[in-house]
Amino acid sequence: MPIIHRPGWNAPESQVTPQALVTGRRALMASALLAAPAAAQVGAAPPLPAHTRNERFQGGRALTAEREATTYNNFYEFGSHKGIWRDAQRMARRPWRLQVDGMVENPREFDIDDLIRLMPVEERIYRLRCVEAWAMTVPWTGFPLRALMELVRPLSSGRFLAFQTAQLPAVMPGLRQTWFPWPHVEACTIAEAMNELTFMPIGMYGQPLPQQNGGPLRVVFPWKYGFKSGKSIVRITVQEQRPNTFWGTIQPQEYGFWANVNPAVAHPRWSQATELLIGTRERVPTTIWNGYGEWVAGMYQGLEGERLFV
Ligand code: MTE
């Protein structure tokens, strides 16, 4: 008797689903899809306001392909692997509120769309350098953090800013990893917050900021390692004491407070001399301050005793 080897897709007639059941299920799916546009609108971000590119901020490299920048992410609230982008879609970007409090003259809680209307929105191309030695070049749409600080007016006693990420257990499976010190908090000094480069993206590649990249609102410090750039921010607190930060709490020897990019200062477990460009996989030399020294190096004069790098 010949032995028939069926490929996996070749199901015997007995296992084939009857036609009526298939079409019935299709009809059901079609009606669900028809209802989907309305459901998809819940929590969606509106289009970005009209804005122009600020030509002072050029990436100096080819832009990373949008698809690469939006599918290769670090966002531990959604999981500790690079492919969290799909799961992150479940996080609603509206409504969204930002609380700005602590040592400020005008503590305020903003609805994000009210805040955006108050801010000078523009596009800037920045390089982003992760401490893991990969890099991207991204066109961000957003506003300088300084503009927001001018609204709330930090008191002279306020020396640091703490940026707190949303904690949404229903959509963030990573929060179940209870050994991490949630919520994610990152921090900077007042001088760093007021630096012209410190930017609060609400978009990238001309679109509202995707959840996996920190939508609807994040911070970026392009001269520092990417772990300082907190995502999906709900609260900014101005305070006198240096805040405890997420990575600084987990591994203080490896992730310092300042975390400025420097090719000459290795991470304890790997070199920082070069970086891998996401998308092209080209390896290029890293530059001190990620190439932004003319904007930022002056801020660190007198702080040479601090561990300024990594
Ligand atoms: N912010 C939060 N809340 N959680 C995170 O895990 N990862 C950081 C930073 N911001 C992280 C975060 C790290 S390590 C990097 S390199 C950048 O986000 C990555 O940003 P990207 O995914 O937009 O490239």
Side-chain angles (χ1 to χ4, degrees):
M1 201 171 81
I3 298 170
I4 300 170
H5 291 284
R6 279 178 196 279
W9 46 264
N10 187 354
E13 194 68 17
S14 60
Q15 285 177 18
V16 172
T17 311
Q19 166 97 35
L21 277 185
V22 175
T23 45
R25 202 167 146 258
R26 278 200 193 134
L28 196 73
M29 283 167 73
S31 61
L33 281 176
L34 280 179
Q41 293 310 312
V42 176
L48 296 174
H51 63 281
T52 54
R53 176 175 291 176
N54 185 336
E55 301 291 346
R56 287 189 62 216
F57 303 102
Q58 306 280 353
R61 293 175 179 167
L63 291 185
T64 303
E66 179 179 359
R67 198 187 142 71
E68 301 284 347
T70 55
T71 57
Y72 184 91
N73 301 100
N74 277 334
F75 201 160
Y76 276 63
E77 285 82 340
F78 291 97
S80 46
H81 58 91
K82 298 286 182 277
I84 52 78
W85 67 272
R86 248 183 250 276
D87 285 344
Q89 306 310 306
R90 296 174 56 216
M91 177 171 68
R93 286 174 290 175
R94 292 294 188 283
W96 195 270
R97 298 188 75 77
L98 173 71
Q99 189 179 344
V100 188
D101 61 2
M103 295 175 155
V104 292
E105 268 178 47
N106 296 323
R108 300 246 320 240
E109 195 179 315
F110 299 93
D111 168 80
I112 187 166
D113 294 306
D114 294 339
L115 174 64
I116 291 170
R117 275 188 284 277
L118 292 170
M119 291 290 107
V121 173
E122 63 183 30
E123 185 179 70
R124 298 179 176 192
I125 301 175
Y126 278 170
R127 295 180 294 281
L128 173 77
R129 171 62 155 81
C130 179
V131 72
E132 295 163 343
W134 53 260
M136 298 191 188
T137 307
V138 176
W140 302 108
T141 299
F143 54 86
L145 176 58
R146 184 163 69 185
L148 172 55
M149 287 298 106
E150 282 163 1
L151 269 187
V152 297
R153 295 214 289 274
L155 300 171
S156 56
S157 49
R159 297 175 55 224
F160 297 94
L161 271 69
F163 301 83
Q164 188 179 316
T165 295
Q167 278 193 98
L168 302 165
V171 294
M172 293 175 163
L175 298 182
R176 281 183 236 133
Q177 298 182 315
T178 49
W179 55 90
F180 284 125
W182 309 115
H184 183 285
V185 170
E186 256 310 333
C188 71
T189 63
I190 284 281
E192 290 173 329
M194 300 306 271
N195 188 280
E196 191 188 0
L197 281 185
T198 306
F199 204 53
M200 301 290 295
I202 56 166
M204 68 195 291
Y205 299 90
Q207 300 296 325
L209 193 60
Q211 291 91 329
Q212 62 272 28
N213 294 92
L217 176 72
R218 75 180 294 180
V219 62
V220 288
F221 303 94
W223 70 98
K224 292 176 178 283
Y225 291 113
F227 72 86
K228 296 294 297 182
S229 298
K231 294 180 167 183
S232 305
I233 291 168
V234 291
R235 186 173 183 188
I236 301 176
T237 306
V238 179
Q239 56 189 78
E240 191 171 356
Q241 303 300 326
R242 187 185 285 194
N244 293 326
T245 61
F246 186 74
W247 287 107
T249 305
I250 299 167
Q251 288 274 42
Q253 318 81 335
E254 300 197 354
Y255 306 102
F257 173 78
W258 299 97
N260 297 305
V261 174
N262 187 342
V265 180
H267 181 276
R269 289 182 281 135
W270 58 84
S271 162
Q272 296 290 14
T274 63
E275 60 207 49
L276 186 73
L277 303 185
I278 295 302
T280 63
R281 302 201 64 77
E282 199 186 336
R283 191 161 275 286
V284 299
T286 293
T287 42
I288 188 162
W289 314 108
N290 202 21
Y292 294 100
E294 70 179 277
W295 280 275
V296 301
M299 278 194 294
Y300 301 100
Q301 275 163 17
L303 289 173
E304 290 79 5
E306 295 270 332
R307 192 178 132 206
L308 290 176
F309 307 100
V310 195

